């Protein structure tokens, strides 16, 4: 039992006035109590004792509206209710000062500084009823997928992809290249792509070739512009003309991805293996620039086949390579089968094949059909020293109508009937 009961004196209950006036959960910190004597003090005669009474507090004077005023809308009241518990806890503590607030001031609400942006913290409920006018204004845009097997899902949202499509880039082929799709999505058109496009235009790549170029090599956007300019300057130092450089870059999109040292090694390889001069080396790679970017293993293998299996001399191989550079990267099986039929069946010697190497680029089936038709007619003569000589070049290069009328001296119908007998 308290000490006041033991002395026979009436007990003094020190109850703060704010606790006596709470009738519902509060929504903010309490207002300071009105001026008056502290609890437990004597009250002078004639003075009001409302501070110790259990009657409700008289209404406070109206306070002008301020940004910190309590919320009045339905949504704001709902959000403020979440923090009523903490507000009530604050209200149970005695105020720091019993002095009245200055006139025309307001007390900040606790939740006004806890969460500054209510819309981002507590969105409206999905079950909230809205008007028809608000429902019509809602635009539901599809979300971008976090992962996709195609760039089609991102074209409408990406300025970079949209402009690349306008340039003629085939995104259906680009997305099949390793990490190419992720690369394009990370790039900014103005900062990363535009400077490379202007550089390619300065090199000489035509507008209608930019799309196919970037479709084959989108990785050029990862290269430093200064390094690209250095590689073009190297080609110019090797006496490649501007038109030759533009043609080489357009036909071999990965050419500028090679460092200067690697380009120099490739040029030195072809010059040494084929025994070419500097000018002939330039002519060779200008006609087939992918010799500088492709693998050297097929080239080495075909050179060994021509020298060992087919029996061509080094000067003959050089002559064939300068006339038909594709023979250096041709399929080994096709190369040996064509030579076997032309040399062993048709009887054409090496020196004639050296002068007419186009036979190695022709279809073996077409060569067989025309040779068998000429043999059937008795006109298969490929020796230039004999009468009725037939050039091997014309045999494989002219269309069927010209072959029948000028070389075989027969009609096209006769040739078609003969093919049915094979």
């Amino acid at each position: 039992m308290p000490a006041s009961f033991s002395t026979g004196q009436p007990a003094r209950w020190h109850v703060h006035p704010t606790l006596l006036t709470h009738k519902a959960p509060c929504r903010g910190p309490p207002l300071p109590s009105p001026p008056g004597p502290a609890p437990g003090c004597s009250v002078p005669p004639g003075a009001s004792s409302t501070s110790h009474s259990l009657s409700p507090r008289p209404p406070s004077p109206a306070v002008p509206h301020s940004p910190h005023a309590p919320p009045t809308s339905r949504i704001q009241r709902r959000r403020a209710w979440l923090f009523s518990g903490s507000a009530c806890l604050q209200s149970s503590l005695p105020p720091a000062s019993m002095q009245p607030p200055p006139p025309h001031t307001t007390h900040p609400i606790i939740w006004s500084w806890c969460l500054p942006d209510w819309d981002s913290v507590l969105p409206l409920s999905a079950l909230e009823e809205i008007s028809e006018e608000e429902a019509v204004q809602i635009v539901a845009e599809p979300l971008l997928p976090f992962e996709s097997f195609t760039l089609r899902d991102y074209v409408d949202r990406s300025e970079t992809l949209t402009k690349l499509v306008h340039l003629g880039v085939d995104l259906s082929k680009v997305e099949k290249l390793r990490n190419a799709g992720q690369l394009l999505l990370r790039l900014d058109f103005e900062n990363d792509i535009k400077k490379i496009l202007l550089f390619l235009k300065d090199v000489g790549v035509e507008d209608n070739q930019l799309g196919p170029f970037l479709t084959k090599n989108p990785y050029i956007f990862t290269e430093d512009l200064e390094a690209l300019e250095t590689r073009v300057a190297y080609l110019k130092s090797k006496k490649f003309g501007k038109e030759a450089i533009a043609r080489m870059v357009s036909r071999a999109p990965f050419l500028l991805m090679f460092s200067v040292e690697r380009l120099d090694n490739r040029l030195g390889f072809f010059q040494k293996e084929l025994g070419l001069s500097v000018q002939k080396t330039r002519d060779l790679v200008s006609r087939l620039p992918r010799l500088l970017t492709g693998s050297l293993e097929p080239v080495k293998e075909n050179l060994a086949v021509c020298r060992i299996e087919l029996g061509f001399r080094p000067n003959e191989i050089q002559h064939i390579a300068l006339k038909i550079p594709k023979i250096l990267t041709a399929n080994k099986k096709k190369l040996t089968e064509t030579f076997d039929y032309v040399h062993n069946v048709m009887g054409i010697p090496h020196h004639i094949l050296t002068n007419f190497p186009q036979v190695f680029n022709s279809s073996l089936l077409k060569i067989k059909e025309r040779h068998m038709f000429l043999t059937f007619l008795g006109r298969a003569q490929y020796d230039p020293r004999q009468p009725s000589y037939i050039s091997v070049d014309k045999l494989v290069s002219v269309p069927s109508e010209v072959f029948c009328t000028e070389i075989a001296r027969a009609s096209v119908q006769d040739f078609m009937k003969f093919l049915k007998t094979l």
Side-chain angles (χ1 to χ4, degrees):
M1 182 177 295
S4 59
F5 285 93
S6 62
T7 59
Q9 300 295 330
R12 292 181 178 179
W13 295 88
H14 299 280
V15 180
H16 196 270
T18 56
L19 296 179
L20 299 177
T21 59
H22 282 297
K23 298 179 180 298
C26 59
R27 307 181 192 273
L31 296 175
S33 62
C41 298
S42 60
V43 181
S48 174
S49 60
T50 57
S51 60
H52 294 281
S53 65
L54 298 178
S55 61
R57 181 185 302 177
S60 302
V63 180
H65 176 72
S66 69
H68 300 286
T72 58
S73 66
R74 178 180 57 181
I75 298 176
Q76 290 179 333
R77 289 198 304 270
R78 182 188 306 169
R79 293 169 176 171
W81 177 82
L82 297 175
F83 297 89
S84 60
S86 60
C88 292
L89 178 61
Q90 293 289 335
S91 65
S92 65
L93 300 176
S97 176
M98 299 301 296
Q99 298 297 327
H104 305 293
T105 60
T106 58
H107 299 278
I109 307 302
I110 291 178
W111 48 264
S112 65
W113 53 266
C114 290
L115 294 173
D117 188 5
W118 285 105
D119 293 335
S120 62
V121 176
L122 189 62
L124 293 177
S125 172
L127 302 178
E128 186 74 20
E129 294 184 2
I130 60 176
S131 63
E132 294 184 1
E133 292 77 7
E134 294 175 336
V136 172
Q137 297 176 359
I138 295 178
V139 178
E141 297 183 356
L143 297 177
L144 287 177
F146 292 103
E147 295 180 355
S148 179
F149 291 100
T150 176
L151 292 173
R152 180 181 57 186
D153 298 332
Y154 306 96
V155 173
D156 294 336
R157 307 286 188 88
S158 173
E159 178 188 5
T160 299
L161 295 182
T162 301
K163 291 186 177 181
L164 289 177
V165 170
H166 292 165
L167 288 174
V169 179
D170 190 348
L171 297 182
S172 64
K173 296 180 179 179
V174 172
E175 64 191 15
K176 297 178 182 178
L177 302 178
R178 184 179 180 85
N179 297 330
Q182 294 89 332
L183 169 65
L184 295 182
L185 288 174
R186 290 195 302 263
L187 295 179
D188 179 74
F189 187 86
E190 294 295 332
N191 298 329
D192 304 321
I193 294 181
K194 187 175 181 179
K195 58 183 180 181
I196 302 297
L197 296 178
L198 294 177
F199 166 76
L200 294 176
K201 288 288 295 179
D202 293 339
V203 171
V205 180
E206 299 295 335
D207 294 342
N208 58 352
Q209 297 175 341
L210 286 175
F213 179 94
L214 298 176
T215 300
K216 296 178 181 178
N217 182 22
Y219 307 106
I220 195 172
F221 297 124
T222 63
E223 294 292 319
D224 183 66
L225 184 60
E226 184 177 354
L228 296 176
E229 294 173 347
T230 302
R231 294 159 192 171
V232 173
Y234 168 77
L235 294 177
K236 292 180 179 179
S237 67
K238 294 300 180 179
K239 307 302 180 181
F240 286 94
K242 184 176 181 179
E243 294 182 358
I245 295 176
R247 183 173 60 254
M248 292 168 62
V249 171
S250 300
R251 297 175 61 183
F254 286 92
L255 178 64
L256 296 180
M257 304 289 288
F258 284 65
S259 63
V260 172
E261 293 78 9
R262 195 171 182 182
L263 290 175
D264 189 71
N265 291 336
R266 289 297 180 97
L267 292 174
F269 170 80
F270 289 104
Q271 183 177 3
K272 178 181 178 181
E273 291 294 325
L274 296 174
L276 302 175
S277 62
V278 176
Q279 179 61 41
K280 289 183 178 181
T281 304
R282 284 198 297 266
D283 294 340
L284 176 68
V285 297
S286 297
R287 295 181 59 188
L288 192 64
R290 60 187 176 91
L291 290 174
L292 297 177
T293 60
S295 174
L296 293 179
E297 293 304 319
V299 177
K300 295 178 180 179
E301 187 175 7
N302 285 351
L303 289 175
V305 168
C306 291
R307 183 175 58 256
I308 300 174
E309 296 185 23
L310 307 186
F312 287 102
R313 294 190 295 267
N315 62 328
E316 294 176 335
I317 297 175
Q318 179 188 120
H319 186 81
I320 293 174
L322 289 175
K323 278 196 170 185
I324 308 294
K326 288 183 179 181
I327 198 174
L328 297 175
T329 58
N331 181 270
K332 175 186 174 182
K333 181 179 179 181
K334 179 179 181 299
L335 187 63
T336 54
E337 289 179 351
T338 301
F339 175 82
D340 180 68
Y341 187 83
V342 172
H343 180 70
N344 298 325
V345 177
M346 298 175 60
I348 301 178
H350 285 80
H351 69 276
I352 295 182
L353 293 177
T354 302
N355 294 328
F356 302 105
Q358 295 85 353
V359 68
F360 294 106
N361 277 343
S362 303
S363 170
L364 180 58
L365 178 61
K366 182 172 68 173
I367 296 175
K368 290 181 177 181
E369 292 175 346
R370 294 187 177 185
H371 170 69
M372 295 175 69
F373 185 60
L374 292 176
T375 303
F376 175 75
L377 297 177
R379 302 184 59 84
Q381 180 56 258
Y382 308 111
D383 188 354
R385 297 170 296 180
Q386 300 296 328
S388 302
Y389 160 72
I390 296 177
S391 171
V392 178
D393 183 24
K394 291 184 177 181
L395 176 69
V396 299
S397 61
V398 297
S400 299
E401 293 78 7
V402 178
F403 166 75
C404 293
T405 57
E406 297 184 5
I407 299 178
R409 307 289 178 86
S411 63
V412 178
Q413 290 78 8
D414 294 338
F415 182 56
M416 294 295 121
K417 291 179 181 179
F418 174 78
L419 293 181
K420 294 179 181 180
T421 62
L422 298 180

